[in-house]
PDB file of all heavy atoms in Angstrom:
ATOM      1  N   TYR A1425      25.431  35.927  48.074  1.00 93.00           N
ATOM      2  CA  TYR A1425      24.802  37.224  47.816  1.00 93.00           C
ATOM      3  C   TYR A1425      23.393  37.069  47.242  1.00 93.00           C
ATOM      4  O   TYR A1425      23.033  37.660  46.223  1.00 93.00           O
ATOM      5  CB  TYR A1425      25.705  38.087  46.918  1.00 93.00           C
ATOM      6  CG  TYR A1425      27.080  38.195  47.519  1.00 93.00           C
ATOM      7  CD1 TYR A1425      28.196  37.652  46.884  1.00 93.00           C
ATOM      8  CD2 TYR A1425      27.255  38.776  48.769  1.00 93.00           C
ATOM      9  CE1 TYR A1425      29.451  37.691  47.472  1.00 93.00           C
ATOM     10  CE2 TYR A1425      28.494  38.819  49.374  1.00 93.00           C
ATOM     11  CZ  TYR A1425      29.586  38.277  48.725  1.00 93.00           C
ATOM     12  OH  TYR A1425      30.812  38.317  49.329  1.00 93.00           O
ATOM     13  N   TYR A1458      19.199  25.108  50.674  1.00 96.00           N
ATOM     14  CA  TYR A1458      20.409  25.824  51.121  1.00 96.00           C
ATOM     15  C   TYR A1458      21.576  24.838  51.302  1.00 96.00           C
ATOM     16  O   TYR A1458      21.515  23.955  52.145  1.00 96.00           O
ATOM     17  CB  TYR A1458      20.097  26.564  52.439  1.00 96.00           C
ATOM     18  CG  TYR A1458      21.331  27.061  53.151  1.00 96.00           C
ATOM     19  CD1 TYR A1458      22.132  28.058  52.596  1.00 96.00           C
ATOM     20  CD2 TYR A1458      21.712  26.524  54.366  1.00 96.00           C
ATOM     21  CE1 TYR A1458      23.273  28.489  53.239  1.00 96.00           C
ATOM     22  CE2 TYR A1458      22.842  26.950  55.032  1.00 96.00           C
ATOM     23  CZ  TYR A1458      23.625  27.930  54.452  1.00 96.00           C
ATOM     24  OH  TYR A1458      24.761  28.357  55.092  1.00 96.00           O
ATOM     25  N   CYS A1508      33.634  28.470  53.761  1.00 98.00           N
ATOM     26  CA  CYS A1508      33.021  28.386  55.090  1.00 98.00           C
ATOM     27  C   CYS A1508      33.041  26.945  55.587  1.00 98.00           C
ATOM     28  O   CYS A1508      32.746  26.013  54.846  1.00 98.00           O
ATOM     29  CB  CYS A1508      31.586  28.902  55.038  1.00 98.00           C
ATOM     30  SG  CYS A1508      31.531  30.696  54.902  1.00 98.00           S
ATOM     31  N   ASN A1512      25.313  28.072  57.835  1.00 98.00           N
ATOM     32  CA  ASN A1512      24.653  29.009  58.738  1.00 98.00           C
ATOM     33  C   ASN A1512      23.407  28.351  59.308  1.00 98.00           C
ATOM     34  O   ASN A1512      22.603  27.800  58.551  1.00 98.00           O
ATOM     35  CB  ASN A1512      24.254  30.280  57.981  1.00 98.00           C
ATOM     36  CG  ASN A1512      25.450  31.185  57.720  1.00 98.00           C
ATOM     37  OD1 ASN A1512      26.446  31.131  58.440  1.00 98.00           O
ATOM     38  ND2 ASN A1512      25.353  32.005  56.689  1.00 98.00           N
ATOM     39  N   ARG A1520      29.507  35.005  62.488  1.00 98.00           N
ATOM     40  CA  ARG A1520      29.309  36.028  63.522  1.00 98.00           C
ATOM     41  C   ARG A1520      29.357  35.401  64.919  1.00 98.00           C
ATOM     42  O   ARG A1520      29.958  35.954  65.841  1.00 98.00           O
ATOM     43  CB  ARG A1520      27.985  36.747  63.301  1.00 98.00           C
ATOM     44  CG  ARG A1520      27.781  37.863  64.309  1.00 98.00           C
ATOM     45  CD  ARG A1520      26.429  38.511  64.159  1.00 98.00           C
ATOM     46  NE  ARG A1520      26.376  39.332  62.968  1.00 98.00           N
ATOM     47  CZ  ARG A1520      25.250  39.603  62.315  1.00 98.00           C
ATOM     48  NH1 ARG A1520      24.108  39.107  62.737  1.00 98.00           N
ATOM     49  NH2 ARG A1520      25.270  40.374  61.254  1.00 98.00           N
ATOM     50  N   ASP A1523      32.901  34.622  65.836  1.00 98.00           N
ATOM     51  CA  ASP A1523      33.581  35.898  66.075  1.00 98.00           C
ATOM     52  C   ASP A1523      33.192  36.454  67.456  1.00 98.00           C
ATOM     53  O   ASP A1523      34.053  36.891  68.237  1.00 98.00           O
ATOM     54  CB  ASP A1523      33.182  36.860  64.955  1.00 98.00           C
ATOM     55  CG  ASP A1523      34.060  38.100  64.898  1.00 98.00           C
ATOM     56  OD1 ASP A1523      34.982  38.208  65.724  1.00 98.00           O
ATOM     57  OD2 ASP A1523      33.816  38.957  64.028  1.00 98.00           O
ATOM     58  N   HIS A1541      37.548  36.299  58.559  1.00 98.00           N
ATOM     59  CA  HIS A1541      36.178  35.768  58.595  1.00 98.00           C
ATOM     60  C   HIS A1541      36.186  34.515  59.463  1.00 98.00           C
ATOM     61  O   HIS A1541      36.847  33.534  59.123  1.00 98.00           O
ATOM     62  CB  HIS A1541      35.700  35.441  57.178  1.00 98.00           C
ATOM     63  CG  HIS A1541      34.217  35.197  57.083  1.00 98.00           C
ATOM     64  ND1 HIS A1541      33.574  34.205  57.784  1.00 98.00           N
ATOM     65  CD2 HIS A1541      33.250  35.840  56.372  1.00 98.00           C
ATOM     66  CE1 HIS A1541      32.281  34.243  57.496  1.00 98.00           C
ATOM     67  NE2 HIS A1541      32.053  35.225  56.648  1.00 98.00           N
ATOM     68  N   ALA A1542      35.433  34.559  60.568  1.00 98.00           N
ATOM     69  CA  ALA A1542      35.559  33.504  61.576  1.00 98.00           C
ATOM     70  C   ALA A1542      35.006  32.149  61.143  1.00 98.00           C
ATOM     71  O   ALA A1542      35.240  31.150  61.811  1.00 98.00           O
ATOM     72  CB  ALA A1542      34.888  33.959  62.868  1.00 98.00           C
TER      73      ALA A1542
HETATM   74  N1  LIG B 681      30.414  38.380  60.542  1.00 53.11           N
HETATM   75  C1  LIG B 681      31.086  38.738  61.691  1.00 53.11           C
HETATM   76  N2  LIG B 681      32.328  38.207  61.864  1.00 53.11           N
HETATM   77  C2  LIG B 681      32.907  37.349  61.015  1.00 53.11           C
HETATM   78  C3  LIG B 681      32.199  36.965  59.857  1.00 53.11           C
HETATM   79  C4  LIG B 681      30.948  37.513  59.645  1.00 53.11           C
HETATM   80  O1  LIG B 681      30.594  39.508  62.494  1.00 53.11           O
HETATM   81  O2  LIG B 681      34.030  36.897  61.269  1.00 53.11           O
HETATM   82  C5  LIG B 681      29.097  38.988  60.296  1.00 53.11           C
HETATM   83  C6  LIG B 681      29.135  39.924  59.084  1.00 53.11           C
HETATM   84  O3  LIG B 681      29.558  41.201  59.442  1.00 53.11           O
HETATM   85  C7  LIG B 681      27.708  39.866  58.591  1.00 53.11           C
HETATM   86  C8  LIG B 681      27.246  38.478  58.974  1.00 53.11           C
HETATM   87  O4  LIG B 681      28.143  37.991  59.957  1.00 53.11           O
HETATM   88  O5  LIG B 681      26.919  40.811  59.288  1.00 53.11           O
HETATM   89  C9  LIG B 681      27.207  37.535  57.777  1.00 53.11           C
HETATM   90  O6  LIG B 681      28.522  37.467  57.205  1.00 53.11           O
HETATM   91  P1  LIG B 681      28.813  37.315  55.636  1.00 53.11           P
HETATM   92  O7  LIG B 681      28.039  38.372  54.906  1.00 53.11           O
HETATM   93  O8  LIG B 681      30.263  37.216  55.457  1.00 53.11           O
HETATM   94  O9  LIG B 681      28.100  36.004  55.239  1.00 53.11           O
HETATM   95  P2  LIG B 681      28.182  34.601  55.880  1.00 53.11           P
HETATM   96  O10 LIG B 681      26.796  34.267  56.318  1.00 53.11           O
HETATM   97  O11 LIG B 681      29.261  34.449  56.877  1.00 53.11           O
HETATM   98  C10 LIG B 681      27.573  33.431  53.608  1.00 53.11           C
HETATM   99  C11 LIG B 681      28.033  32.158  52.964  1.00 53.11           C
HETATM  100  C12 LIG B 681      29.303  32.389  52.172  1.00 53.11           C
HETATM  101  C13 LIG B 681      29.053  33.476  51.138  1.00 53.11           C
HETATM  102  C14 LIG B 681      28.607  34.741  51.872  1.00 53.11           C
HETATM  103  C15 LIG B 681      28.232  35.868  50.927  1.00 53.11           C
HETATM  104  C16 LIG B 681      27.466  30.220  54.298  1.00 53.11           C
HETATM  105  C17 LIG B 681      27.925  29.245  55.313  1.00 53.11           C
HETATM  106  N3  LIG B 681      28.318  31.189  53.995  1.00 53.11           N
HETATM  107  O12 LIG B 681      28.571  33.742  54.584  1.00 53.11           O
HETATM  108  O13 LIG B 681      29.603  31.182  51.501  1.00 53.11           O
HETATM  109  O14 LIG B 681      30.238  33.731  50.410  1.00 53.11           O
HETATM  110  O15 LIG B 681      27.407  34.461  52.654  1.00 53.11           O
HETATM  111  O16 LIG B 681      26.983  35.623  50.360  1.00 53.11           O
HETATM  112  O17 LIG B 681      26.351  30.079  53.760  1.00 53.11           O
HETATM  113  C18 LIG B 681      30.771  29.098  51.532  1.00 53.11           C
HETATM  114  O18 LIG B 681      29.712  28.566  51.222  1.00 53.11           O
HETATM  115  O19 LIG B 681      31.833  28.423  51.663  1.00 53.11           O
HETATM  116  C19 LIG B 681      30.797  30.534  51.780  1.00 53.11           C
HETATM  117  C20 LIG B 681      31.869  31.150  52.174  1.00 53.11           C
END
Side-chain angles (χ1 to χ4, degrees):
Y1425 306 115
Y1458 167 66
C1508 286
N1512 284 336
R1520 183 184 287 154
D1523 193 0
H1541 193 301

